[in-house]
Protein backbone atom coordinates (compact mmCIF):
# COMPACT_ATOMS: atom_id res chain seq x y z
CA UNK A 1 0.00 0.00 0.00
CA UNK A 2 3.01 2.28 -0.40
CA UNK A 3 1.84 4.50 -3.23
CA UNK A 4 -0.79 7.22 -3.80
CA UNK A 5 -2.58 4.92 -6.25
CA UNK A 6 -3.82 2.82 -3.31
CA UNK A 7 -4.85 5.80 -1.19
CA UNK A 8 -6.79 7.24 -4.15
CA UNK A 9 -9.01 4.17 -3.90
CA UNK A 10 -9.31 4.04 -0.10
CA UNK A 11 -9.27 7.72 0.91
CA UNK A 12 -9.87 9.62 -2.35
CA UNK A 13 -10.95 12.91 -0.75
CA UNK A 14 -8.15 13.08 1.81
CA UNK A 15 -5.63 15.88 1.18
CA UNK A 16 -2.38 14.51 -0.15
CA UNK A 17 -0.82 17.97 -0.01
CA UNK A 18 -1.77 21.48 1.05
CA UNK A 19 0.13 24.56 -0.10
CA UNK A 20 0.64 26.51 3.10
CA UNK A 21 0.17 30.10 1.99
CA UNK A 22 -2.35 29.75 -0.84
CA UNK A 23 -4.28 26.91 0.77
CA UNK A 24 -4.48 25.04 -2.54
CA UNK A 25 -5.21 21.40 -1.77
CA UNK A 26 -4.61 18.30 -3.88
CA UNK A 27 -6.58 15.21 -2.83
CA UNK A 28 -5.40 11.66 -3.39
CA UNK A 29 -8.00 11.28 -6.15
CA UNK A 30 -6.58 14.35 -7.90
CA UNK A 31 -2.97 13.30 -7.34
CA UNK A 32 -3.63 9.90 -8.86
CA UNK A 33 -5.50 11.29 -11.87
CA UNK A 34 -2.96 14.01 -12.63
CA UNK A 35 0.08 11.77 -12.19
CA UNK A 36 -1.55 9.26 -14.56
CA UNK A 37 -2.18 12.03 -17.08
CA UNK A 38 1.43 13.16 -16.75
CA UNK A 39 2.64 9.60 -17.31
CA UNK A 40 0.46 9.33 -20.43
CA UNK A 41 1.90 12.60 -21.71
CA UNK A 42 5.45 11.36 -21.21
CA UNK A 43 4.64 8.24 -23.21
CA UNK A 44 2.95 10.33 -25.92
CA UNK A 45 6.20 12.32 -26.17
CA UNK A 46 8.09 9.07 -26.73
CA UNK A 47 9.81 8.89 -23.33
CA UNK A 48 10.80 5.37 -22.38
CA UNK A 49 11.96 3.74 -19.18
CA UNK A 50 15.39 5.03 -18.14
CA UNK A 51 15.09 8.40 -19.90
CA UNK A 52 15.02 11.70 -18.02
CA UNK A 53 13.07 14.87 -17.38
CA UNK A 54 14.21 18.05 -15.60
CA UNK A 55 12.28 20.47 -13.42
CA UNK A 56 13.22 24.09 -12.74
CA UNK A 57 10.45 25.18 -10.41
CA UNK A 58 9.62 26.90 -7.17
CA UNK A 59 7.34 25.16 -4.68
CA UNK A 60 3.89 24.66 -6.20
CA UNK A 61 1.04 22.16 -6.16
CA UNK A 62 2.01 20.56 -9.48
CA UNK A 63 5.54 19.67 -8.39
CA UNK A 64 4.86 16.32 -6.75
CA UNK A 65 2.16 15.41 -9.28
CA UNK A 66 4.85 15.59 -11.98
CA UNK A 67 7.38 13.66 -9.89
CA UNK A 68 4.88 10.87 -9.30
CA UNK A 69 4.09 10.87 -13.03
CA UNK A 70 7.78 10.29 -13.74
CA UNK A 71 8.11 7.79 -10.89
CA UNK A 72 5.35 5.56 -12.29
CA UNK A 73 6.78 5.88 -15.82
CA UNK A 74 10.21 4.45 -15.02
CA UNK A 75 11.89 7.81 -15.65
CA UNK A 76 14.69 9.67 -13.92
CA UNK A 77 13.49 13.06 -12.69
CA UNK A 78 16.02 15.79 -11.95
CA UNK A 79 14.79 18.60 -9.73
CA UNK A 80 16.98 21.68 -10.08
CA UNK A 81 17.42 24.62 -7.75
CA UNK A 82 15.34 27.63 -8.75
CA UNK A 83 18.35 29.76 -7.80
CA UNK A 84 20.65 28.35 -10.45
CA UNK A 85 22.32 30.67 -12.90
CA UNK A 86 21.25 29.85 -16.48
CA UNK A 87 24.66 28.35 -17.32
CA UNK A 88 24.42 26.05 -14.27
CA UNK A 89 20.94 24.90 -15.27
CA UNK A 90 22.08 24.40 -18.86
CA UNK A 91 24.91 22.16 -17.65
CA UNK A 92 22.62 20.01 -15.47
CA UNK A 93 19.98 19.64 -18.21
CA UNK A 94 22.64 18.51 -20.65
CA UNK A 95 24.41 16.27 -18.16
CA UNK A 96 21.27 14.42 -17.01
CA UNK A 97 20.09 13.95 -20.60
CA UNK A 98 16.65 15.47 -20.02
CA UNK A 99 14.20 15.12 -22.89
CA UNK A 100 11.53 17.30 -21.23
CA UNK A 101 11.99 20.53 -19.27
CA UNK A 102 9.27 21.92 -16.99
CA UNK A 103 9.68 25.47 -15.67
CA UNK A 104 7.69 27.70 -13.30
CA UNK A 105 6.34 30.80 -14.99
CA UNK A 106 7.76 32.79 -12.07
CA UNK A 107 11.24 31.90 -13.37
CA UNK A 108 10.72 33.61 -16.70
CA UNK A 109 14.23 35.08 -16.76
CA UNK A 110 15.98 31.72 -16.49
CA UNK A 111 13.50 30.16 -18.93
CA UNK A 112 14.21 32.84 -21.55
CA UNK A 113 17.97 32.35 -21.32
CA UNK A 114 17.59 28.56 -21.58
CA UNK A 115 15.25 28.71 -24.56
CA UNK A 116 17.98 28.43 -27.18
CA UNK A 117 20.02 25.95 -25.16
CA UNK A 118 19.91 22.15 -24.87
CA UNK A 119 18.53 21.27 -28.32
CA UNK A 120 18.07 17.63 -27.24
CA UNK A 121 14.99 18.69 -25.23
CA UNK A 122 11.87 17.52 -27.09
CA UNK A 123 9.33 19.69 -25.30
CA UNK A 124 9.35 22.56 -22.85
CA UNK A 125 6.42 23.19 -20.49
CA UNK A 126 5.47 25.98 -18.12
CA UNK A 127 3.65 25.77 -14.80
CA UNK A 128 1.46 28.51 -13.37
CA UNK A 129 1.35 30.80 -16.39
CA UNK A 130 2.50 31.29 -19.96
CA UNK A 131 6.14 31.37 -21.07
CA UNK A 132 7.33 32.00 -24.64
CA UNK A 133 8.44 28.77 -26.27
CA UNK A 134 6.79 26.64 -23.58
CA UNK A 135 3.48 24.78 -23.64
CA UNK A 136 1.21 24.98 -20.59
CA UNK A 137 1.73 21.76 -18.61
CA UNK A 138 -1.77 21.78 -17.14
CA UNK A 139 -3.35 22.00 -20.62
CA UNK A 140 -1.09 19.38 -22.20
CA UNK A 141 -1.36 16.87 -19.35
CA UNK A 142 -5.03 17.65 -18.71
CA UNK A 143 -5.90 16.48 -22.23
CA UNK A 144 -4.59 12.98 -21.52
CA UNK A 145 -6.65 10.06 -20.15
CA UNK A 146 -6.49 9.58 -16.37
CA UNK A 147 -6.12 5.80 -16.59
CA UNK A 148 -2.83 4.18 -15.58
CA UNK A 149 -0.31 3.46 -18.33
CA UNK A 150 0.07 -0.20 -19.23
CA UNK A 151 3.85 -0.36 -18.76
CA UNK A 152 4.29 1.15 -15.31
CA UNK A 153 7.68 0.68 -13.63
CA UNK A 154 9.46 2.43 -10.82
CA UNK A 155 11.50 5.49 -11.75
CA UNK A 156 13.57 7.53 -9.33
CA UNK A 157 15.15 10.91 -8.82
CA UNK A 158 18.60 11.81 -10.11
CA UNK A 159 19.57 14.86 -8.13
CA UNK A 160 22.59 17.12 -8.26
CA UNK A 161 24.68 18.37 -5.37
CA UNK A 162 24.17 22.04 -4.60
CA UNK A 163 27.67 22.89 -5.78
CA UNK A 164 28.86 24.49 -2.53
CA UNK A 165 32.45 23.46 -3.31
CA UNK A 166 32.42 23.26 -7.11
CA UNK A 167 30.37 22.18 -10.12
CA UNK A 168 27.23 20.20 -9.17
CA UNK A 169 27.53 16.42 -9.31
CA UNK A 170 24.66 14.22 -10.46
CA UNK A 171 23.96 11.27 -8.18
CA UNK A 172 22.71 8.32 -10.15
CA UNK A 173 21.62 4.92 -8.88
CA UNK A 174 20.46 2.02 -10.96
CA UNK A 175 16.77 1.63 -11.83
CA UNK A 176 15.49 -1.55 -10.25
CA UNK A 177 13.02 -3.89 -11.86
CA UNK A 178 10.34 -3.33 -9.24
CA UNK A 179 6.73 -2.23 -8.85
CA UNK A 180 5.90 1.43 -8.30
CA UNK A 181 4.65 0.66 -4.76
CA UNK A 182 7.69 -1.32 -3.62
CA UNK A 183 9.20 -0.32 -0.29
CA UNK A 184 12.64 1.27 -0.13
CA UNK A 185 15.23 2.32 2.42
CA UNK A 186 13.51 5.62 3.21
CA UNK A 187 10.02 4.13 3.66
CA UNK A 188 11.50 1.58 6.07
CA UNK A 189 13.40 4.23 8.05
CA UNK A 190 10.46 6.66 8.06
CA UNK A 191 8.15 3.99 9.45
CA UNK A 192 10.44 2.43 12.05
CA UNK A 193 12.37 5.49 13.22
CA UNK A 194 9.84 8.30 12.84
CA UNK A 195 6.51 6.46 13.04
CA UNK A 196 5.34 7.91 9.73
CA UNK A 197 1.93 6.53 8.70
CA UNK A 198 -1.40 7.46 7.13
CA UNK A 199 -2.30 9.69 10.09
CA UNK A 200 0.84 11.81 9.77
CA UNK A 201 0.70 15.51 8.90
CA UNK A 202 4.12 16.59 7.67
CA UNK A 203 5.24 20.22 7.51
CA UNK A 204 7.80 20.84 4.76
CA UNK A 205 9.38 24.32 4.99
CA UNK A 206 12.18 23.82 2.44
CA UNK A 207 12.40 23.90 -1.38
CA UNK A 208 11.15 20.70 -3.01
CA UNK A 209 14.12 20.54 -5.37
CA UNK A 210 16.38 19.43 -2.53
CA UNK A 211 16.77 15.70 -1.84
CA UNK A 212 15.33 15.57 1.67
CA UNK A 213 12.12 17.58 1.07
CA UNK A 214 11.46 15.87 -2.25
CA UNK A 215 12.00 12.36 -0.96
CA UNK A 216 10.29 12.83 2.41
CA UNK A 217 7.20 14.48 0.91
CA UNK A 218 6.84 11.68 -1.61
CA UNK A 219 7.30 9.18 1.23
CA UNK A 220 4.53 10.86 3.22
CA UNK A 221 2.22 10.34 0.25
CA UNK A 222 3.34 6.75 -0.20
CA UNK A 223 2.03 6.18 3.34
CA UNK A 224 -1.17 8.15 2.72
CA UNK A 225 -0.41 11.06 5.05
CA UNK A 226 -0.80 14.78 4.35
CA UNK A 227 2.05 17.13 3.45
CA UNK A 228 1.80 20.85 4.22
CA UNK A 229 4.26 22.56 1.89
CA UNK A 230 5.48 26.09 2.53
CA UNK A 231 5.99 28.18 -0.58
CA UNK A 232 8.80 30.00 1.27
CA UNK A 233 10.09 29.62 4.80
CA UNK A 234 9.06 32.19 7.37
CA UNK A 235 9.81 31.50 11.03
CA UNK A 236 6.57 32.69 12.60
CA UNK A 237 4.42 31.34 9.75
CA UNK A 238 5.95 27.90 10.33
CA UNK A 239 4.89 27.98 13.98
CA UNK A 240 1.38 29.06 12.99
CA UNK A 241 1.14 26.18 10.51
CA UNK A 242 2.06 23.61 13.17
CA UNK A 243 -0.88 24.82 15.24
CA UNK A 244 -3.34 25.27 12.34
CA UNK A 245 -2.80 21.87 10.75
CA UNK A 246 -1.98 19.92 13.94
CA UNK A 247 1.33 18.93 12.40
CA UNK A 248 2.78 15.66 13.69
CA UNK A 249 6.04 15.49 11.71
CA UNK A 250 8.34 18.13 10.25
CA UNK A 251 11.84 18.57 8.88
CA UNK A 252 14.19 21.53 9.30
CA UNK A 253 17.71 22.78 8.83
CA UNK A 254 19.60 24.45 11.70
CA UNK A 255 19.33 27.95 10.22
CA UNK A 256 15.54 27.63 10.54
CA UNK A 257 15.91 26.78 14.22
CA UNK A 258 18.09 29.86 14.67
CA UNK A 259 15.46 32.07 12.98
CA UNK A 260 12.66 30.67 15.18
CA UNK A 261 14.68 30.99 18.36
CA UNK A 262 15.38 34.65 17.58
CA UNK A 263 11.69 35.49 17.28
CA UNK A 264 10.34 37.74 20.06
CA UNK A 265 9.35 35.69 23.13
CA UNK A 266 5.68 36.61 22.66
CA UNK A 267 5.69 35.18 19.12
CA UNK A 268 7.29 31.95 20.32
CA UNK A 269 4.65 31.54 23.05
CA UNK A 270 1.74 32.38 20.76
CA UNK A 271 1.43 29.04 18.97
CA UNK A 272 0.55 25.55 20.16
CA UNK A 273 3.07 22.90 19.08
CA UNK A 274 1.75 20.06 21.25
CA UNK A 275 0.74 17.98 18.19
CA UNK A 276 4.37 17.73 17.06
CA UNK A 277 5.77 14.24 17.67
CA UNK A 278 8.82 14.32 15.41
CA UNK A 279 10.95 17.29 14.31
CA UNK A 280 13.68 15.98 12.01
CA UNK A 281 16.75 18.04 11.21
CA UNK A 282 19.73 17.50 8.94
CA UNK A 283 21.70 19.08 6.05
CA UNK A 284 24.18 20.94 8.29
CA UNK A 285 25.60 20.53 11.80
CA UNK A 286 23.39 22.06 14.48
CA UNK A 287 25.14 24.27 17.06
CA UNK A 288 25.04 22.68 20.52
CA UNK A 289 23.31 25.63 22.20
CA UNK A 290 20.72 25.88 19.42
CA UNK A 291 19.73 22.23 19.77
CA UNK A 292 19.60 22.45 23.56
CA UNK A 293 17.27 25.43 23.30
CA UNK A 294 15.05 23.69 20.74
CA UNK A 295 14.66 20.59 22.93
CA UNK A 296 13.94 22.85 25.89
CA UNK A 297 11.23 24.61 23.86
CA UNK A 298 9.63 21.78 21.86
CA UNK A 299 10.50 18.87 24.12
CA UNK A 300 12.34 15.63 23.19
CA UNK A 301 10.87 15.47 19.69
CA UNK A 302 14.05 16.33 17.77
CA UNK A 303 15.51 13.62 15.56
CA UNK A 304 18.80 14.28 13.81
CA UNK A 305 20.29 12.40 10.88
CA UNK A 306 23.43 12.56 8.78
CA UNK A 307 23.19 11.39 5.19
CA UNK A 308 23.65 12.67 1.66
CA UNK A 309 21.92 12.75 -1.68
CA UNK A 310 24.23 9.84 -2.54
CA UNK A 311 22.29 7.53 -0.19
CA UNK A 312 25.47 5.69 0.80
CA UNK A 313 24.77 5.72 4.53
CA UNK A 314 22.36 6.92 7.19
CA UNK A 315 23.28 7.95 10.73
CA UNK A 316 20.60 9.03 13.22
CA UNK A 317 19.78 9.77 16.84
CA UNK A 318 16.75 10.86 18.84
CA UNK A 319 16.68 13.53 21.54
CA UNK A 320 17.44 11.14 24.41
CA UNK A 321 20.49 9.75 22.61
CA UNK A 322 21.70 13.22 21.75
CA UNK A 323 21.34 14.46 25.32
CA UNK A 324 23.49 11.51 26.41
CA UNK A 325 26.01 12.15 23.60
CA UNK A 326 25.81 15.91 23.03
CA UNK A 327 27.12 16.99 19.66
CA UNK A 328 26.68 13.58 18.06
CA UNK A 329 24.62 12.98 14.91
CA UNK A 330 23.97 9.40 16.02
CA UNK A 331 24.88 5.85 15.10
CA UNK A 332 24.75 4.21 11.68
CA UNK A 333 21.46 2.64 10.63
CA UNK A 334 22.60 2.11 7.04
CA UNK A 335 26.21 1.26 6.28
CA UNK A 336 29.06 0.97 8.76
CA UNK A 337 31.17 3.98 9.74
CA UNK A 338 34.89 3.96 9.09
CA UNK A 339 37.16 6.90 9.99
CA UNK A 340 40.24 7.04 7.77
CA UNK A 341 43.44 9.04 8.05
CA UNK A 342 44.54 11.85 5.73
CA UNK A 343 45.76 9.37 3.11
CA UNK A 344 42.53 7.35 3.33
CA UNK A 345 44.74 4.33 4.01
CA UNK A 346 44.36 3.53 7.73
CA UNK A 347 41.28 3.09 9.90
CA UNK A 348 41.53 5.36 12.93
CA UNK A 349 40.42 4.30 16.42
CA UNK A 350 37.56 5.93 18.38
CA UNK A 351 38.26 9.50 19.35
CA UNK A 352 40.61 10.29 16.45
CA UNK A 353 39.47 12.66 13.72
CA UNK A 354 39.57 11.74 10.05
CA UNK A 355 37.48 11.44 6.89
CA UNK A 356 34.14 9.65 7.32
CA UNK A 357 33.53 6.63 5.08
CA UNK A 358 30.68 4.13 4.89
CA UNK A 359 31.39 0.42 4.43
CA UNK A 360 28.87 -2.23 3.35
CA UNK A 361 26.55 0.49 2.07
CA UNK A 362 24.56 1.08 -1.14
CA UNK A 363 26.62 1.91 -4.21
CA UNK A 364 26.28 5.15 -6.18
CA UNK A 365 28.03 6.93 -9.01
CA UNK A 366 28.45 10.54 -10.04
CA UNK A 367 26.83 10.71 -13.45
CA UNK A 368 29.27 11.14 -16.32
CA UNK A 369 32.14 11.68 -13.88
CA UNK A 370 34.12 8.49 -13.16
CA UNK A 371 36.94 10.59 -11.70
CA UNK A 372 34.77 12.03 -8.94
CA UNK A 373 33.18 8.63 -8.37
CA UNK A 374 36.61 7.08 -7.89
CA UNK A 375 37.75 9.94 -5.64
CA UNK A 376 34.83 9.22 -3.30
CA UNK A 377 35.99 5.63 -2.73
CA UNK A 378 38.70 4.08 -0.61
CA UNK A 379 40.78 1.15 -1.81
CA UNK A 380 38.28 -1.14 -0.04
CA UNK A 381 35.37 0.40 -1.97
CA UNK A 382 34.06 2.34 1.02
CA UNK A 383 32.50 5.70 0.08
CA UNK A 384 32.66 9.19 1.54
CA UNK A 385 30.78 12.49 1.24
CA UNK A 386 33.98 14.36 2.09
CA UNK A 387 33.10 15.12 5.70
CA UNK A 388 35.44 14.93 8.67
CA UNK A 389 34.66 13.61 12.14
CA UNK A 390 35.20 10.93 14.76
CA UNK A 391 33.29 8.22 16.59
CA UNK A 392 33.22 7.56 20.30
CA UNK A 393 33.53 4.21 22.01
CA UNK A 394 29.82 3.49 21.55
CA UNK A 395 29.85 4.16 17.82
CA UNK A 396 28.27 7.64 17.93
CA UNK A 397 29.48 9.90 15.13
CA UNK A 398 30.56 13.51 15.68
CA UNK A 399 31.00 15.80 12.67
CA UNK A 400 33.87 18.25 12.55
CA UNK A 401 33.39 19.95 9.18
CA UNK A 402 33.67 19.51 5.44
CA UNK A 403 37.19 18.52 4.44
CA UNK A 404 37.14 21.23 1.75
CA UNK A 405 36.48 23.96 4.33
CA UNK A 406 39.44 23.25 6.61
CA UNK A 407 41.74 26.23 7.20
CA UNK A 408 45.47 25.59 7.54
CA UNK A 409 47.06 28.52 9.36
CA UNK A 410 50.74 28.23 10.26
CA UNK A 411 50.47 24.45 9.94
CA UNK A 412 47.51 24.25 12.32
CA UNK A 413 44.28 22.64 11.04
CA UNK A 414 41.24 24.77 11.91
CA UNK A 415 37.67 23.68 11.22
CA UNK A 416 35.30 26.63 10.68
CA UNK A 417 32.15 24.87 11.87
CA UNK A 418 33.14 25.11 15.55
CA UNK A 419 33.63 28.87 15.24
CA UNK A 420 30.41 29.35 13.24
CA UNK A 421 28.42 27.37 15.82
CA UNK A 422 29.61 29.76 18.51
CA UNK A 423 29.17 33.03 16.61
CA UNK A 424 25.63 32.26 15.44
CA UNK A 425 24.51 32.17 19.09
CA UNK A 426 25.54 35.82 19.57
CA UNK A 427 22.35 37.92 19.81
CA UNK A 428 23.60 40.42 17.26
CA UNK A 429 24.32 37.77 14.59
CA UNK A 430 21.76 36.40 12.14
CA UNK A 431 24.13 34.29 10.05
CA UNK A 432 27.86 33.69 9.77
CA UNK A 433 30.47 32.00 7.61
CA UNK A 434 34.05 31.44 8.70
CA UNK A 435 36.64 31.04 5.95
CA UNK A 436 40.36 31.04 5.42
CA UNK A 437 41.79 34.07 3.61
CA UNK A 438 45.34 34.70 2.35
CA UNK A 439 48.05 35.51 4.88
CA UNK A 440 51.64 36.02 3.68
CA UNK A 441 53.20 34.62 6.86
CA UNK A 442 50.81 31.83 7.89
CA UNK A 443 49.36 30.83 4.51
CA UNK A 444 45.80 31.42 5.69
CA UNK A 445 44.13 33.32 8.47
CA UNK A 446 40.64 33.02 9.91
CA UNK A 447 38.00 35.52 8.82
CA UNK A 448 34.34 35.68 9.88
CA UNK A 449 31.80 37.02 7.38
CA UNK A 450 28.73 38.05 9.35
CA UNK A 451 25.14 38.92 8.55
CA UNK A 452 24.21 41.19 11.48
CA UNK A 453 20.73 41.12 13.02
CA UNK A 454 20.70 44.92 12.70
CA UNK A 455 22.53 46.12 9.56
CA UNK A 456 23.13 49.48 11.25
CA UNK A 457 25.34 47.77 13.84
CA UNK A 458 27.88 46.61 11.24
CA UNK A 459 31.26 48.17 11.87
CA UNK A 460 34.52 48.02 13.84
CA UNK A 461 32.86 48.01 17.27
CA UNK A 462 30.74 44.95 16.50
CA UNK A 463 33.70 43.24 14.85
CA UNK A 464 35.78 43.68 18.02
CA UNK A 465 32.88 42.46 20.14
CA UNK A 466 32.52 39.27 18.06
CA UNK A 467 36.25 38.52 18.14
CA UNK A 468 36.24 38.94 21.92
CA UNK A 469 33.20 36.68 22.12
CA UNK A 470 35.15 33.95 20.34
CA UNK A 471 38.26 34.42 22.45
CA UNK A 472 36.25 33.91 25.62
CA UNK A 473 35.41 30.35 24.55
CA UNK A 474 37.96 29.19 21.97
CA UNK A 475 41.70 28.91 21.57
CA UNK A 476 42.96 32.20 20.14
CA UNK A 477 44.46 30.42 17.13
CA UNK A 478 40.93 29.42 16.08
CA UNK A 479 39.42 32.87 16.49
CA UNK A 480 38.81 35.27 13.60
CA UNK A 481 41.50 37.84 13.09
CA UNK A 482 39.00 40.01 11.24
CA UNK A 483 35.26 40.31 10.61
CA UNK A 484 33.52 41.51 7.47
CA UNK A 485 29.80 42.22 7.22
CA UNK A 486 27.31 41.30 4.50
CA UNK A 487 23.61 42.13 4.11
CA UNK A 488 22.96 38.45 3.36
CA UNK A 489 25.18 35.41 3.03
CA UNK A 490 24.99 33.19 -0.08
CA UNK A 491 23.15 30.41 1.71
CA UNK A 492 21.10 27.81 -0.13
CA UNK A 493 17.49 27.54 1.13
CA UNK A 494 18.35 23.97 2.15
CA UNK A 495 20.74 25.41 4.74
CA UNK A 496 23.99 24.84 2.90
CA UNK A 497 26.37 27.74 2.59
CA UNK A 498 28.09 28.57 -0.69
CA UNK A 499 31.47 29.16 0.93
CA UNK A 500 33.12 28.76 -2.45
CA UNK A 501 31.59 32.07 -3.55
CA UNK A 502 32.80 33.86 -0.44
CA UNK A 503 36.30 32.42 -0.56
CA UNK A 504 36.75 33.28 -4.22
CA UNK A 505 36.35 36.99 -3.42
CA UNK A 506 39.39 36.92 -1.15
CA UNK A 507 41.57 34.53 -3.15
CA UNK A 508 41.07 35.69 -6.73
CA UNK A 509 43.96 38.18 -6.53
CA UNK A 510 46.15 36.18 -4.14
CA UNK A 511 48.39 34.79 -6.86
CA UNK A 512 47.86 31.24 -5.59
CA UNK A 513 45.02 28.76 -5.36
CA UNK A 514 42.83 27.96 -2.39
Amino acid sequence: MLHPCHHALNTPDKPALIMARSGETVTYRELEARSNQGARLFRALGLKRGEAIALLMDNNARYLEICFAAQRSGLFYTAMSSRLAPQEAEYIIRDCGAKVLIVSASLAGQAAELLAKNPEIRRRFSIGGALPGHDPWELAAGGQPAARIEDESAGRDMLYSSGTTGRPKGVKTELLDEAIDASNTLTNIASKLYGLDADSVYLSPAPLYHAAPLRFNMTVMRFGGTAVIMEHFDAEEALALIERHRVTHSQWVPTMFVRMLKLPPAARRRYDHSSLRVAIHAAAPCPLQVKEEMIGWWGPVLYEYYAGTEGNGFVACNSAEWLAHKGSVGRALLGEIRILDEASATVLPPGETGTIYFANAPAFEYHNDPGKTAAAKSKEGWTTLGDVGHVDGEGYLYLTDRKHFMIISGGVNIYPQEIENLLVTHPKVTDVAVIGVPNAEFGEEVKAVVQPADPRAAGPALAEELIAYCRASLSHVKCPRSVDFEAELPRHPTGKLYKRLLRERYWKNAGRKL
Side-chain angles (χ1 to χ4, degrees), residues 11 26 33 37 39 82 90 129 149 208 232 248 357 368 397 406 416 462 469 497:
T11 54
V26 176
Q37 289 174 316
S82 58
E90 178 190 352
I149 59 175
L208 290 172
H232 302 282
T248 61
Y357 282 79
N368 291 335
L397 176 65
M406 185 176 72
L462 180 55
Y469 186 70
L497 190 64

Side-chain angles (χ1 to χ4, degrees), residues 404-457:
H404 295 290
F405 297 155
M406 185 176 72
I407 300 166
I408 304 176
S409 183
V412 177
N413 293 349
I414 300 168
Y415 291 97
Q417 189 67 55
E418 180 183 10
I419 311 160
E420 292 165 351
N421 287 350
L422 175 63
L423 280 172
V424 81
T425 64
H426 193 285
K428 297 180 183 178
V429 173
T430 293
D431 202 359
V432 59
V434 172
I435 58 175
V437 298
N439 179 287
E441 182 179 359
F442 296 106
E444 290 182 274
E445 66 177 64
V446 180
K447 177 181 285 290
V449 184
V450 169
Q451 178 182 333
D454 180 359
R456 296 169 297 181

Side-chain angles (χ1 to χ4, degrees), residues 136-180:
W137 170 265
E138 293 92 337
L139 185 62
Q144 296 291 324
R148 295 167 69 166
I149 59 175
E150 294 75 16
D151 59 340
E152 283 185 337
S153 64
R156 63 194 319 162
D157 61 56
M158 185 171 76
L159 304 180
Y160 282 69
S161 68
S162 50
T164 55
T165 59
R167 174 171 273 185
K169 304 182 292 290
V171 179
K172 189 172 186 178
T173 52
E174 183 184 359
L175 285 183
L176 301 177
D177 186 14
E178 62 184 10
I180 63 171

Side-chain angles (χ1 to χ4, degrees), residues 26-45:
V26 176
T27 66
Y28 275 100
R29 178 191 287 112
E30 292 167 333
L31 177 59
E32 172 68 3
R34 291 171 188 164
S35 66
N36 281 330
Q37 289 174 316
R40 293 245 170 217
L41 178 57
F42 291 143
R43 288 292 185 262
L45 294 172

Side-chain angles (χ1 to χ4, degrees), residues 44-80:
L45 294 172
L47 270 68
K48 300 178 178 63
R49 173 179 165 83
E51 293 192 301
I53 68 166
L55 298 85
L56 181 62
M57 298 198 293
D58 47 21
N59 285 6
N60 67 79
R62 306 286 80 78
Y63 211 120
L64 297 175
E65 296 172 358
I66 294 168
C67 290
F68 272 115
Q71 186 269 341
R72 70 194 311 154
S73 304
L75 302 179
F76 287 105
Y77 44 102
T78 294
M80 299 186 294

Side-chain angles (χ1 to χ4, degrees), residues 91 95 160-161 163-171 310 357 364-378 382-386 404 500:
Y91 163 75
D95 191 66
Y160 282 69
S161 68
T164 55
T165 59
R167 174 171 273 185
K169 304 182 292 290
V171 179
E310 290 82 349
Y357 282 79
F364 72 91
E365 67 178 49
Y366 290 121
H367 187 54
N368 291 335
D369 202 329
K372 286 182 178 176
T373 302
K377 292 182 179 180
S378 70
W382 305 337
T383 57
T384 181
L385 303 176
H404 295 290
R500 169 176 53 87

